[in-house]
Amino acid sequence: DAYGQEIIATTQTAGVDTQYVQVSDSHSTSVYLAVINANGEMEAAVSDMRITELINKEWLQKHEKILKQASCIIVDTNLSQDVLAHITSCYADKLYLDTVSTTKAKKVKDLIGQFHTIKPNRKEAEILSGLQIDNKESALNAVSHFITKGAKNVFISLGRQGIVYGNSEETGALRVDSPKNILNTTGAGDAFLATLVHGFLNNRSIAQSAKEAYAASLIILQSEDTSNNTITIRQIESLAKELNYEQIP
């Protein structure tokens, strides 16, 4: 359909190889519609992700060679629970997880230790850990919980209160003043995760990856579009150096 064609064309323009994209004649391209208020915050959202049902075990097995060759694999919880279980059983050492929502995050509660990197927000982390998160200390306790379960790197977004992060070697907590001209809160988490992937693939420390990912999300917050086609890694790195990061008290 038209949306699918636009996605492929835009992705190709960005330099991404789309030869393995699955095209369906019987399903519509997935749609996510968010209602944004005057403050740039999401009031409500609806989605149609039924086409993701075509990403099943058979399709994954068909593309096993390319998946094994991949340096990283990014998955989200729009996939079925069975498919997520299959993926974690085969590629756990290089999986990056976007938890998507509190409802869909429940699919990976028993699989959470199988991921290289996870990035839940506060509510999603509470559901996945069973712990209440209301301050820095409790957020870092949740980070430790996920690491004990087996997750290699953990980042928890606390909204305007910042982020906490950690792995087996170090933990930390950062925040900066939110920009005054927030235009759109959707897409910031996607930019955060994409920058984390870039950081780890380029041997950044977890602390540096956190700073750059935070910077990327701030850039998106000030963009009317969910995806900013002009953003560059140089821009992200420059902002990360300029920001006055504070430790969360």
Side-chain angles (χ1 to χ4, degrees), residues 206-227:
I206 189 171
Q208 186 62 29
S209 293
K211 290 180 178 180
E212 292 180 357
Y214 206 147
S217 65
L218 292 177
I219 292 172
I220 296 299
L221 286 174
Q222 297 174 82
S223 171
E224 291 184 351
D225 297 324
T226 299
S227 176

Side-chain angles (χ1 to χ4, degrees), residues 150-161:
K152 301 290 191 302
N153 301 281
V154 180
F155 299 81
I156 299 177
S157 168
L158 304 176
R160 293 181 183 273
Q161 284 70 52

Side-chain angles (χ1 to χ4, degrees), residues 119 155-165 173-179 188-189 191-196 206-222 231 235-237 239-241 243-248:
K119 184 204 64 64
F155 299 81
I156 299 177
S157 168
L158 304 176
R160 293 181 183 273
Q161 284 70 52
I163 61 169
V164 295
Y165 61 87
L174 297 172
R175 72 175 180 187
V176 297
D177 291 334
S178 297
F192 192 102
L193 181 58
T195 308
L196 287 182
I206 189 171
Q208 186 62 29
S209 293
K211 290 180 178 180
E212 292 180 357
Y214 206 147
S217 65
L218 292 177
I219 292 172
I220 296 299
L221 286 174
Q222 297 174 82
I231 192 172
Q235 181 184 5
I236 293 169
E237 291 170 346
L239 180 59
K241 292 176 182 178
L243 288 173
N244 181 27
Y245 292 99
E246 300 176 358
Q247 287 293 321
I248 301 175

Side-chain angles (χ1 to χ4, degrees), residues 10 21 35 49-50 53 64 84 94 102 117 123 130 135 140 200 202-203 213 219 227 237 241-242:
T10 303
V21 171
V35 179
M49 300 291 173
R50 285 174 291 181
E53 295 170 3
E64 182 179 19
L84 288 165
K94 53 186 176 183
T102 52
T117 296
K123 291 182 180 179
N135 54 33
L140 287 174
F200 286 120
N202 287 274
N203 300 314
I219 292 172
S227 176
E237 291 170 346
K241 292 176 182 178
E242 296 172 4

Side-chain angles (χ1 to χ4, degrees), residues 17 19 27 59 62 69 73 86 89 92 101 136 141 160 168 199 210 219 227:
D17 183 352
Q19 66 175 303
H27 290 68
W59 187 84
K62 178 181 177 181
Q69 292 174 346
I73 300 173
H86 173 75
S89 70
S101 70
K136 170 187 171 181
N141 285 341
R160 293 181 183 273
S168 60
I219 292 172
S227 176

